Amino acid sequence: MATPHDYFSNDSLRKGLKKKTVRGGAFVAVSQALSAVISLVALSILSRLLESADFGVILKAAVFTGFAAMFVDAGMSMATVQREEINRRQVSNLFWFSTAMGLAIALLVSLLSPLVSLFYQDPRLTPVVVILSCAYLFSGMTSQHQAMMKRAMQYDRLTMTAVVSLIIGQGVGVAMAWWLHESEHGYWALAAIPVATAAAKMALSWLVCPWRPDAPKRGVGTREMIVFGADLTGFSTVNYLSRNLDNMLIGWWWGDAALGFYGQAYKLFALPMRLINAPVANVMVPALSRLTSDPQRYRTAYLKVTGATTLLIIPAAAYGLVAAPWLIPAALGPGWEPAVPIFRALLLMGMLQPVANSTGWLFVSQGRSREQLQWGLVGSSLCLLSFLVGLPWGAVGVALAYSLGGLLVRTPLLFWWVGRRGPVSARDLIGTLLRAAPHAAVVALANLPLLMWLDEETAPLVGVAATLGVTAVAYAASLAAIPSSRRLVLELKRVGGELRGGGVAQAAGGGDTGQPDPGPAPLKPQETT
C-alpha cells in the first residue's frame, strides 16, 4: 500500500517544483524507454503471428470504441491537474462522474455494436466492440487516481502503473496470438490487449495511490471543473474524428488489408512522439500551470523543453524517411513492404509534430480550453478534407494528403492561432522548428551515398544498422557544429548530472525556495493539428 500524501495542499504541491519537474522527466524517460521496448517487441511478434487483415478488423472497431472512450473521462482528469485549488469533495464527485460515465458508455456502445457491423458489412465486429467496451468501466475508475498522482507529480508511481499494465496487456495479447495464429480468429488477441491493460492499470492505480473517494455531494464547486472538462472533451471529440476518419474511410473503401498496412505504418510513425513528446506533456502541463503568473519563466521553460524534443524527433523523422525500406520489414517482418510508402508519406508531417503537438500544453496550462475547442473544429475540418482528397489513391494517397495539408495549411494556421495570446508567440514556435531543421538535413544528406549503394534486397537488419550508423555520426557532428544546439545538449547533460547527484536545488543558484522554477525536462495522446 502506498504511503499517505496530501494531494490537496497547494504548498505541498508547489514545494520543490523544479526538482519534481526534473525527476518527473527522468521517470517519464525511463517509462517511455521501457514502454517503447515492450511495445516494439510485442508489435514485432504480433505482426509475425497475425495477418494484416487481423489488425484491420480491430482498427475498424477501434474507430468507434475509441471515440466513445473520450466521454468516459470527459476532461475531468485534466481539470484536476490544471486547477490551482481543489478539494477532496470536488475530486470525489469527479470520480463518481467518470465511473458512471464509464458504465453508461460501455452499455450504450454494446447496444449499438450491431450498427458498427452494419456499417462495414462485417458481423465479426459486433462481439469485438462489446469486448472492447469493457475497458470503459476500468478507465472510469482509474482516471482520478492517475490525475491525483500527476497533480502531485508522483511519476515514480505513474511509471510503475504504466509499465506493468503494459506488460500485462501485451503479454495477454501475445499469448492469445500464439494460440490463435493458425486460425481465422487471430484478431481476438488484439482485442484482448486494451481490456487487459485497462484492468491492470485500474488495479495498480488503486494500489499505489492512497486517495479514496468520498460519497458524492452537491454544492461543492464541481460545476466549473465540468465545464472546463466539457470544452476539452469537445476538442478531443473533433480532434479524434479527424485523427481516425482516415482509418474508417480506408477500411470502408479499401478493406481490412489496406487498413492493416496503414495502421501499422502509423504506429511506427507515431513512435518517436509517444517515446518523447507525449510523456513530456504529462510533466509540462502541471509545471506550466503553476507558472502562468510569471510569463517570462513560462516562456523560457516551454521553449527549452520543446527545443530539446525537436532536437530528437525531427532528425529521427529524417532517419525514418531514408531507412524505411529496411526499417519496416525489420520491425514488422516479411510481407509488410506495402507499408513503406505510407510510412514515408506520414513522416513528412512528422517533421512538424513535436512543436505542433506541444501547443496543446499552451492551451491547457493557460486555461484556454474554449479556444482549443474552436481550433479543433477548424483543424479537424481541414484534416478531414485532406483525407477525402487522398482517398481515391488508397492508403498512400490518404497519408500524403494528410502530410501536405499539415505542412502547407494546418500547422501555420495553428501557430498563428495559439500565438495570438500568452507568453509564447508564433515566431517562437517557428524558430524552434527552424533550429532543428539543419540536423534533419544533415542526416538525410549523409545517407544519400549509402542509399545508392544499398538496395531493397539488402537484409533488413543490415540496412537498418548501416543507415543508423551513418545517422549517428552525422547527427553528432551536426550537434557539435551548431552552437545553439551544443549549448542545449550541455544544458541537458548538466541537468542529468544534477539529477544523479541530487543537486537540482543548487542548480537554481541557491536553496529551494519552494517557488515554481522548472528546469529542462526530457513523450500520440492527443494530436493538435
Side-chain angles (χ1 to χ4, degrees):
M1 175 65 68
T3 56
H5 182 90
D6 189 354
Y7 292 102
F8 303 97
S9 169
N10 229 27
D11 292 337
S12 173
L13 295 178
R14 284 176 174 165
K15 186 177 181 180
L17 184 58
K18 175 168 182 165
K19 184 174 182 178
K20 290 178 182 177
T21 303
V22 179
R23 287 179 61 84
F27 274 112
V28 164
V30 170
S31 173
Q32 288 308 113
L34 291 173
S35 297
V37 171
I38 295 164
S39 298
L40 278 174
V41 170
L43 180 66
S44 181
I45 296 172
L46 291 168
S47 297
R48 286 165 169 81
L49 291 175
L50 304 175
E51 302 293 331
S52 64
D54 293 323
F55 292 91
V57 171
I58 298 303
L59 283 171
K60 289 192 297 188
V63 171
F64 295 91
T65 58
F67 175 73
M70 293 184 303
F71 297 93
V72 175
D73 177 69
M76 298 298 99
S77 60
M78 190 54 67
T80 299
V81 173
Q82 190 271 344
R83 193 174 177 87
E84 185 74 16
E85 302 280 350
I86 199 169
N87 60 54
R88 186 179 300 276
R89 291 181 175 180
Q90 291 170 332
V91 179
S92 294
N93 280 2
L94 296 182
F95 167 83
W96 292 112
F97 179 85
S98 295
T99 300
M101 289 292 287
L103 178 58
I105 292 172
L107 293 173
L108 179 62
V109 170
S110 296
L111 290 172
L112 296 177
S113 58
L115 297 180
V116 180
S117 294
L118 182 63
F119 177 80
Y120 286 112
Q121 295 296 301
D122 187 346
R124 297 173 297 176
L125 293 177
T126 297
V128 167
V129 169
V130 171
I131 293 300
L132 290 174
S133 68
C134 294
Y136 302 150
L137 181 58
F138 299 135
S139 298
M141 297 178 67
T142 306
S143 62
Q144 285 304 308
H145 288 77
Q146 290 277 305
M148 295 302 287
M149 290 188 284
K150 287 178 184 178
R151 181 178 174 83
M153 306 189 84
Q154 294 177 323
Y155 289 101
D156 52 345
R157 302 180 187 185
L158 289 165
T159 294
M160 191 279 287
T161 59
V163 172
V164 175
S165 62
L166 181 64
I167 291 173
I168 292 172
Q170 297 290 350
V172 168
V174 168
M176 289 188 63
W178 184 267
W179 180 43
L180 296 170
H181 75 280
E182 293 182 352
S183 77
E184 59 183 15
H185 304 295
Y187 55 87
W188 280 112
L190 302 174
I193 293 175
V195 179
T197 303
K201 194 169 189 178
M202 181 200 72
L204 291 167
S205 296
W206 279 70
L207 180 66
V208 302
C209 179
W211 171 78
R212 296 293 180 265
D214 298 326
K217 288 183 172 59
R218 297 171 61 93
V220 297
T222 313
R223 179 183 175 85
E224 182 181 343
M225 301 175 70
I226 292 177
V227 171
F228 177 86
D231 285 339
L232 290 182
T233 304
F235 167 75
S236 297
T237 300
V238 294
N239 188 59
Y240 179 87
L241 289 173
S242 73
R243 289 294 143 208
N244 289 273
L245 282 173
D246 50 350
N247 290 341
M248 186 182 75
L249 292 170
I250 292 171
W252 171 66
W253 190 314
W254 294 101
D256 294 346
L259 180 55
F261 290 125
Y262 183 85
Q264 294 300 82
Y266 202 104
K267 280 185 181 179
L268 290 176
F269 154 71
L271 185 60
M273 292 300 299
R274 289 179 55 204
L275 181 61
I276 300 171
N277 218 51
V280 171
N282 290 333
V283 177
M284 289 304 296
V285 170
L288 291 175
S289 297
R290 309 284 89 80
L291 282 175
T292 52
S293 59
D294 191 337
Q296 185 55 46
R297 293 171 70 194
Y298 181 105
R299 177 177 178 271
T300 299
Y302 171 81
L303 291 179
K304 191 175 289 186
V305 173
T306 52
T309 57
T310 55
L311 207 59
L312 293 170
I313 293 176
I314 293 180
Y319 166 73
L321 280 168
V322 298
W326 307 283
L327 192 60
I328 292 292
L332 303 180
W336 288 89
E337 288 77 12
V340 171
I342 302 171
F343 182 62
R344 280 178 156 167
L346 291 170
L347 282 171
L348 296 175
M349 183 60 194
M351 300 288 184
L352 307 183
Q353 291 287 52
V355 178
N357 281 18
S358 72
T359 58
W361 314 349
L362 304 178
F363 281 124
V364 174
S365 64
Q366 295 171 25
R368 296 164 60 186
S369 58
R370 183 56 53 88
E371 289 181 57
Q372 189 177 26
L373 172 58
Q374 293 167 349
W375 162 252
L377 293 169
V378 174
S380 297
S381 298
L382 294 172
C383 211
L384 173 58
L385 180 60
S386 68
F387 294 152
L388 293 173
V389 169
L391 187 61
W393 288 272
V396 176
V398 171
L400 188 59
Y402 162 73
S403 289
L404 292 178
L407 285 166
L408 301 176
V409 181
R410 293 194 311 275
T411 303
L413 183 59
L414 168 64
F415 286 178
W416 170 81
W417 198 289
V418 74
R420 293 179 301 172
R421 293 176 51 201
V424 180
S425 67
R427 180 177 295 182
D428 291 329
L429 301 173
I430 295 170
T432 301
L433 284 174
L434 292 178
R435 281 188 287 274
H439 303 291
V442 168
V443 166
L445 292 173
N447 276 286
L448 283 182
L450 190 59
L451 294 179
M452 297 177 184
W453 178 57
L454 297 174
D455 57 39
E456 294 188 3
E457 299 302 317
T458 302
L461 290 179
V462 172
V464 169
T467 53
L468 191 59
V470 170
T471 296
V473 173
Y475 182 51
S478 69
L479 288 176
I482 300 176
S484 61
S485 299
R486 192 165 61 244
R487 286 194 297 270
L488 183 56
V489 171
L490 292 174
E491 174 72 3
L492 293 173
K493 184 178 179 181
R494 178 184 67 81
V495 171
E498 290 160 0
L499 182 61
R500 289 191 299 272
V504 176
Q506 287 76 7
D512 192 339
T513 64
Q515 295 303 313
D517 186 16
L523 121 139
K524 161 179 162 215
Q526 287 286 342
E527 293 186 3
T528 309
T529 59

